[in-house]
Structure formats: structure tokens, C-alpha cells
Short mmCIF file of all heavy atoms in Angstrom, two decimals:
data_model
loop_
_atom_site.label_atom_id
_atom_site.label_comp_id
_atom_site.label_asym_id
_atom_site.label_seq_id
_atom_site.Cartn_x
_atom_site.Cartn_y
_atom_site.Cartn_z
N LYS Q 1 -21.16 -52.00 35.32
CA LYS Q 1 -22.15 -51.05 34.92
C LYS Q 1 -21.81 -49.69 35.48
O LYS Q 1 -21.61 -49.57 36.72
CB LYS Q 1 -23.56 -51.44 35.44
CG LYS Q 1 -24.72 -50.58 35.06
CD LYS Q 1 -26.01 -51.08 35.67
CE LYS Q 1 -27.18 -50.23 35.26
NZ LYS Q 1 -28.50 -50.73 35.82
N ILE Q 2 -21.63 -48.67 34.68
CA ILE Q 2 -21.24 -47.34 35.13
C ILE Q 2 -22.44 -46.44 35.31
O ILE Q 2 -23.20 -46.27 34.32
CB ILE Q 2 -20.20 -46.70 34.18
CG1 ILE Q 2 -19.05 -47.63 33.99
CG2 ILE Q 2 -19.77 -45.35 34.74
CD1 ILE Q 2 -18.21 -47.94 35.23
N LEU Q 3 -22.57 -45.83 36.47
CA LEU Q 3 -23.67 -44.92 36.77
C LEU Q 3 -23.07 -43.62 37.25
O LEU Q 3 -21.88 -43.49 37.50
CB LEU Q 3 -24.58 -45.49 37.83
CG LEU Q 3 -25.24 -46.88 37.55
CD1 LEU Q 3 -25.91 -47.46 38.73
CD2 LEU Q 3 -26.19 -46.78 36.36
N SER Q 4 -24.02 -42.63 37.34
CA SER Q 4 -23.50 -41.28 37.80
C SER Q 4 -24.52 -40.62 38.73
O SER Q 4 -25.70 -40.83 38.70
CB SER Q 4 -23.20 -40.37 36.63
OG SER Q 4 -24.34 -40.03 35.94
N GLY Q 5 -24.00 -39.60 39.49
CA GLY Q 5 -24.85 -38.74 40.30
C GLY Q 5 -25.58 -39.44 41.40
O GLY Q 5 -25.38 -40.59 41.76
N MET Q 6 -26.56 -38.71 41.96
CA MET Q 6 -27.37 -39.25 43.04
C MET Q 6 -28.20 -40.45 42.61
O MET Q 6 -28.30 -41.39 43.33
CB MET Q 6 -28.26 -38.13 43.60
CG MET Q 6 -29.16 -38.58 44.75
SD MET Q 6 -28.26 -39.33 46.17
CE MET Q 6 -27.37 -37.97 46.73
N ASP Q 7 -28.71 -40.41 41.38
CA ASP Q 7 -29.50 -41.55 40.91
C ASP Q 7 -28.62 -42.83 40.93
O ASP Q 7 -29.09 -43.89 41.26
CB ASP Q 7 -30.02 -41.30 39.49
CG ASP Q 7 -31.15 -40.28 39.50
OD1 ASP Q 7 -31.76 -39.97 40.55
OD2 ASP Q 7 -31.47 -39.74 38.41
N GLY Q 8 -27.41 -42.67 40.52
CA GLY Q 8 -26.48 -43.81 40.47
C GLY Q 8 -26.22 -44.29 41.85
O GLY Q 8 -26.16 -45.51 42.17
N MET Q 9 -25.99 -43.38 42.82
CA MET Q 9 -25.74 -43.79 44.22
C MET Q 9 -26.87 -44.51 44.80
O MET Q 9 -26.77 -45.47 45.57
CB MET Q 9 -25.30 -42.56 45.08
CG MET Q 9 -23.88 -42.14 44.80
SD MET Q 9 -23.31 -40.82 45.94
CE MET Q 9 -24.00 -39.41 45.15
N LEU Q 10 -28.09 -44.00 44.54
CA LEU Q 10 -29.28 -44.62 45.04
C LEU Q 10 -29.48 -46.01 44.47
O LEU Q 10 -29.88 -46.97 45.18
CB LEU Q 10 -30.51 -43.75 44.72
CG LEU Q 10 -30.61 -42.45 45.45
CD1 LEU Q 10 -31.72 -41.55 44.94
CD2 LEU Q 10 -30.86 -42.72 46.99
N GLU Q 11 -29.21 -46.15 43.22
CA GLU Q 11 -29.30 -47.52 42.56
C GLU Q 11 -28.32 -48.48 43.19
O GLU Q 11 -28.66 -49.64 43.52
CB GLU Q 11 -29.08 -47.41 41.04
CG GLU Q 11 -29.27 -48.76 40.35
CD GLU Q 11 -29.27 -48.64 38.85
OE1 GLU Q 11 -29.60 -47.56 38.32
OE2 GLU Q 11 -28.95 -49.64 38.19
N MET Q 12 -27.12 -48.03 43.44
CA MET Q 12 -26.12 -48.88 44.08
C MET Q 12 -26.52 -49.23 45.48
O MET Q 12 -26.32 -50.35 45.97
CB MET Q 12 -24.75 -48.22 44.08
CG MET Q 12 -23.62 -49.18 44.49
SD MET Q 12 -22.05 -48.37 44.82
CE MET Q 12 -22.31 -47.77 46.47
N ALA Q 13 -27.05 -48.25 46.22
CA ALA Q 13 -27.42 -48.45 47.65
C ALA Q 13 -28.42 -49.55 47.81
O ALA Q 13 -28.44 -50.24 48.85
CB ALA Q 13 -27.92 -47.14 48.27
N VAL Q 14 -29.30 -49.75 46.82
CA VAL Q 14 -30.37 -50.76 46.99
C VAL Q 14 -30.15 -52.00 46.15
O VAL Q 14 -31.02 -52.82 46.09
CB VAL Q 14 -31.75 -50.12 46.64
CG1 VAL Q 14 -32.01 -48.95 47.51
CG2 VAL Q 14 -31.81 -49.72 45.16
N MET Q 15 -29.02 -52.06 45.46
CA MET Q 15 -28.80 -53.30 44.62
C MET Q 15 -29.01 -54.57 45.37
O MET Q 15 -28.50 -54.74 46.48
CB MET Q 15 -27.44 -53.21 43.97
CG MET Q 15 -26.24 -53.21 44.90
SD MET Q 15 -24.70 -52.85 44.03
CE MET Q 15 -24.59 -54.26 42.93
N PRO Q 16 -29.75 -55.51 44.88
CA PRO Q 16 -30.11 -56.70 45.56
C PRO Q 16 -28.93 -57.59 45.96
O PRO Q 16 -28.99 -58.36 46.89
CB PRO Q 16 -31.08 -57.47 44.60
CG PRO Q 16 -30.83 -56.87 43.28
CD PRO Q 16 -30.34 -55.45 43.51
N GLN Q 17 -27.87 -57.46 45.23
CA GLN Q 17 -26.64 -58.32 45.49
C GLN Q 17 -25.89 -57.95 46.73
O GLN Q 17 -25.14 -58.71 47.27
CB GLN Q 17 -25.71 -58.29 44.30
CG GLN Q 17 -26.23 -58.86 43.00
CD GLN Q 17 -26.97 -57.77 42.16
OE1 GLN Q 17 -27.27 -56.68 42.67
NE2 GLN Q 17 -27.19 -58.06 40.92
N SER Q 18 -26.07 -56.70 47.28
CA SER Q 18 -25.25 -56.25 48.46
C SER Q 18 -26.05 -56.57 49.76
O SER Q 18 -27.24 -56.52 49.85
CB SER Q 18 -24.98 -54.79 48.35
OG SER Q 18 -26.10 -53.99 48.63
N GLU Q 19 -25.27 -56.86 50.82
CA GLU Q 19 -25.79 -57.03 52.13
C GLU Q 19 -25.44 -55.90 52.99
O GLU Q 19 -26.21 -55.52 53.95
CB GLU Q 19 -25.22 -58.28 52.73
CG GLU Q 19 -25.45 -59.56 52.00
CD GLU Q 19 -24.53 -60.69 52.40
OE1 GLU Q 19 -24.66 -61.11 53.56
OE2 GLU Q 19 -23.71 -61.18 51.60
N VAL Q 20 -24.29 -55.26 52.82
CA VAL Q 20 -23.78 -54.17 53.69
C VAL Q 20 -23.45 -52.95 52.81
O VAL Q 20 -22.75 -53.13 51.81
CB VAL Q 20 -22.54 -54.64 54.43
CG1 VAL Q 20 -22.05 -53.47 55.37
CG2 VAL Q 20 -22.81 -55.85 55.28
N LEU Q 21 -23.91 -51.76 53.25
CA LEU Q 21 -23.51 -50.54 52.62
C LEU Q 21 -22.52 -49.80 53.53
O LEU Q 21 -22.90 -49.45 54.64
CB LEU Q 21 -24.73 -49.64 52.32
CG LEU Q 21 -24.39 -48.28 51.63
CD1 LEU Q 21 -23.88 -48.48 50.22
CD2 LEU Q 21 -25.60 -47.40 51.62
N VAL Q 22 -21.32 -49.63 53.06
CA VAL Q 22 -20.33 -48.80 53.80
C VAL Q 22 -20.53 -47.44 53.35
O VAL Q 22 -20.25 -47.08 52.17
CB VAL Q 22 -18.91 -49.38 53.53
CG1 VAL Q 22 -17.88 -48.53 54.31
CG2 VAL Q 22 -18.75 -50.83 53.88
N THR Q 23 -20.91 -46.55 54.24
CA THR Q 23 -21.16 -45.12 53.87
C THR Q 23 -19.92 -44.33 54.36
O THR Q 23 -19.85 -43.77 55.43
CB THR Q 23 -22.41 -44.55 54.56
OG1 THR Q 23 -22.23 -44.63 55.98
CG2 THR Q 23 -23.63 -45.35 54.19
N ALA Q 24 -18.95 -44.25 53.43
CA ALA Q 24 -17.68 -43.59 53.74
C ALA Q 24 -17.54 -42.26 52.97
O ALA Q 24 -16.49 -41.65 52.97
CB ALA Q 24 -16.50 -44.50 53.37
N ILE Q 25 -18.63 -41.84 52.32
CA ILE Q 25 -18.57 -40.59 51.61
C ILE Q 25 -18.70 -39.43 52.53
O ILE Q 25 -19.29 -39.50 53.62
CB ILE Q 25 -19.75 -40.61 50.56
CG1 ILE Q 25 -19.50 -39.60 49.47
CG2 ILE Q 25 -21.10 -40.34 51.24
CD1 ILE Q 25 -20.44 -39.85 48.26
N VAL Q 26 -18.08 -38.26 52.19
CA VAL Q 26 -18.06 -37.09 53.11
C VAL Q 26 -19.26 -36.22 52.72
O VAL Q 26 -19.52 -35.94 51.52
CB VAL Q 26 -16.78 -36.34 52.93
CG1 VAL Q 26 -16.87 -35.02 53.66
CG2 VAL Q 26 -15.60 -37.18 53.39
N GLY Q 27 -20.00 -35.74 53.74
CA GLY Q 27 -20.99 -34.75 53.57
C GLY Q 27 -22.43 -35.29 53.58
O GLY Q 27 -22.68 -36.48 53.68
N MET Q 28 -23.38 -34.39 53.50
CA MET Q 28 -24.80 -34.74 53.56
C MET Q 28 -25.30 -35.49 52.32
O MET Q 28 -26.41 -35.94 52.27
CB MET Q 28 -25.64 -33.47 53.80
CG MET Q 28 -25.58 -33.05 55.22
SD MET Q 28 -26.46 -31.51 55.57
CE MET Q 28 -25.19 -30.34 55.49
N ILE Q 29 -24.44 -35.58 51.34
CA ILE Q 29 -24.77 -36.36 50.14
C ILE Q 29 -25.06 -37.81 50.51
O ILE Q 29 -25.71 -38.57 49.77
CB ILE Q 29 -23.65 -36.24 49.06
CG1 ILE Q 29 -24.15 -36.76 47.71
CG2 ILE Q 29 -22.40 -37.03 49.56
CD1 ILE Q 29 -23.15 -36.48 46.60
N GLY Q 30 -24.58 -38.27 51.66
CA GLY Q 30 -24.77 -39.66 52.10
C GLY Q 30 -26.16 -39.92 52.70
O GLY Q 30 -26.50 -41.15 52.88
N ILE Q 31 -26.97 -38.94 52.91
CA ILE Q 31 -28.27 -39.15 53.57
C ILE Q 31 -29.17 -40.03 52.76
O ILE Q 31 -29.71 -41.02 53.22
CB ILE Q 31 -28.95 -37.78 53.95
CG1 ILE Q 31 -28.10 -36.99 54.97
CG2 ILE Q 31 -30.34 -38.05 54.48
CD1 ILE Q 31 -28.62 -35.62 55.23
N ARG Q 32 -29.41 -39.56 51.51
CA ARG Q 32 -30.48 -40.29 50.70
C ARG Q 32 -30.05 -41.76 50.41
O ARG Q 32 -30.92 -42.65 50.53
CB ARG Q 32 -30.65 -39.54 49.33
CG ARG Q 32 -31.36 -38.22 49.53
CD ARG Q 32 -31.65 -37.58 48.13
NE ARG Q 32 -32.23 -36.26 48.23
CZ ARG Q 32 -33.51 -35.96 48.39
NH1 ARG Q 32 -34.40 -36.93 48.52
NH2 ARG Q 32 -33.89 -34.69 48.46
N PRO Q 33 -28.81 -42.05 50.05
CA PRO Q 33 -28.46 -43.41 49.84
C PRO Q 33 -28.58 -44.28 51.10
O PRO Q 33 -29.03 -45.43 51.03
CB PRO Q 33 -27.00 -43.37 49.37
CG PRO Q 33 -26.85 -42.01 48.76
CD PRO Q 33 -27.72 -41.12 49.59
N THR Q 34 -28.28 -43.67 52.24
CA THR Q 34 -28.42 -44.40 53.52
C THR Q 34 -29.86 -44.71 53.78
O THR Q 34 -30.21 -45.87 54.18
CB THR Q 34 -27.81 -43.58 54.67
OG1 THR Q 34 -26.43 -43.27 54.40
CG2 THR Q 34 -27.90 -44.39 55.99
N ILE Q 35 -30.78 -43.78 53.58
CA ILE Q 35 -32.17 -44.02 53.81
C ILE Q 35 -32.69 -45.13 52.83
O ILE Q 35 -33.39 -45.99 53.25
CB ILE Q 35 -32.99 -42.67 53.62
CG1 ILE Q 35 -32.69 -41.75 54.75
CG2 ILE Q 35 -34.47 -42.99 53.48
CD1 ILE Q 35 -33.29 -40.37 54.61
N ALA Q 36 -32.27 -44.96 51.58
CA ALA Q 36 -32.71 -46.02 50.58
C ALA Q 36 -32.22 -47.43 50.99
O ALA Q 36 -33.00 -48.39 50.89
CB ALA Q 36 -32.12 -45.65 49.24
N ALA Q 37 -31.00 -47.52 51.44
CA ALA Q 37 -30.41 -48.80 51.84
C ALA Q 37 -31.16 -49.35 53.06
O ALA Q 37 -31.39 -50.59 53.14
CB ALA Q 37 -28.93 -48.66 52.13
N ILE Q 38 -31.44 -48.50 54.02
CA ILE Q 38 -32.18 -48.99 55.21
C ILE Q 38 -33.60 -49.55 54.85
O ILE Q 38 -34.03 -50.58 55.34
CB ILE Q 38 -32.31 -47.85 56.25
CG1 ILE Q 38 -30.99 -47.50 56.85
CG2 ILE Q 38 -33.31 -48.20 57.31
CD1 ILE Q 38 -30.95 -46.24 57.71
N LYS Q 39 -34.20 -48.85 53.96
CA LYS Q 39 -35.57 -49.29 53.48
C LYS Q 39 -35.49 -50.66 52.82
O LYS Q 39 -36.44 -51.44 52.83
CB LYS Q 39 -36.22 -48.24 52.58
CG LYS Q 39 -36.67 -47.03 53.26
CD LYS Q 39 -37.27 -46.04 52.32
CE LYS Q 39 -37.77 -44.77 53.09
NZ LYS Q 39 -38.34 -43.74 52.13
N GLU Q 40 -34.33 -50.96 52.19
CA GLU Q 40 -34.10 -52.26 51.60
C GLU Q 40 -33.45 -53.28 52.60
O GLU Q 40 -33.00 -54.34 52.14
CB GLU Q 40 -33.28 -52.14 50.34
CG GLU Q 40 -33.97 -51.41 49.19
CD GLU Q 40 -35.24 -52.18 48.73
OE1 GLU Q 40 -35.10 -53.38 48.55
OE2 GLU Q 40 -36.29 -51.51 48.59
N LYS Q 41 -33.37 -52.82 53.86
CA LYS Q 41 -32.89 -53.71 54.93
C LYS Q 41 -31.44 -54.10 54.80
O LYS Q 41 -31.03 -55.20 55.15
CB LYS Q 41 -33.79 -54.90 55.11
CG LYS Q 41 -35.25 -54.55 55.35
CD LYS Q 41 -36.10 -55.73 55.73
CE LYS Q 41 -37.59 -55.36 55.80
NZ LYS Q 41 -37.88 -54.22 56.63
N LYS Q 42 -30.62 -53.15 54.30
CA LYS Q 42 -29.16 -53.39 54.22
C LYS Q 42 -28.53 -52.96 55.52
O LYS Q 42 -28.94 -52.01 56.14
CB LYS Q 42 -28.56 -52.52 53.11
CG LYS Q 42 -29.21 -52.56 51.77
CD LYS Q 42 -29.02 -53.92 51.10
CE LYS Q 42 -29.61 -53.85 49.67
NZ LYS Q 42 -29.54 -55.16 48.97
#
């Protein structure tokens, strides 16, 4: 499934199939996906 932009990153960050989110992206663009993943207990 191909996604784009911040909406796509947020969807990937909370996908139920993942247990660990590796945040290797550069810059403050990583803040929102990290917050979303934490809320889903990744």
C-alpha cells in the first residue's frame, strides 16, 4: 500500500501490525509520527 506525506507517515506509525517504530528520519518531521506511535503503545 503506497501512501504519501505526513498523513501517510502517521498511518504507518500506528499500523496495528507493527511493534517497534524506528525513527531514523532527519528533522522535526519525526515529532508527530513518534507521538502517534507512543499513543498506540509502540
Side-chain angles (χ1 to χ4, degrees):
K1 181 179 181 181
I2 306 298
L3 302 171
S4 68
M6 180 54 66
D7 288 344
M9 284 188 277
L10 290 171
E11 184 172 335
M12 191 192 80
V14 302
M15 60 189 298
Q17 296 90 345
S18 74
E19 302 164 62
V20 180
L21 179 67
V22 180
T23 62
I25 201 164
V26 174
M28 282 177 264
I29 195 172
I31 296 174
R32 290 186 187 276
T34 301
I35 289 174
I38 290 171
K39 289 180 178 179
E40 291 299 314
K41 305 190 185 307
K42 312 290 187 186

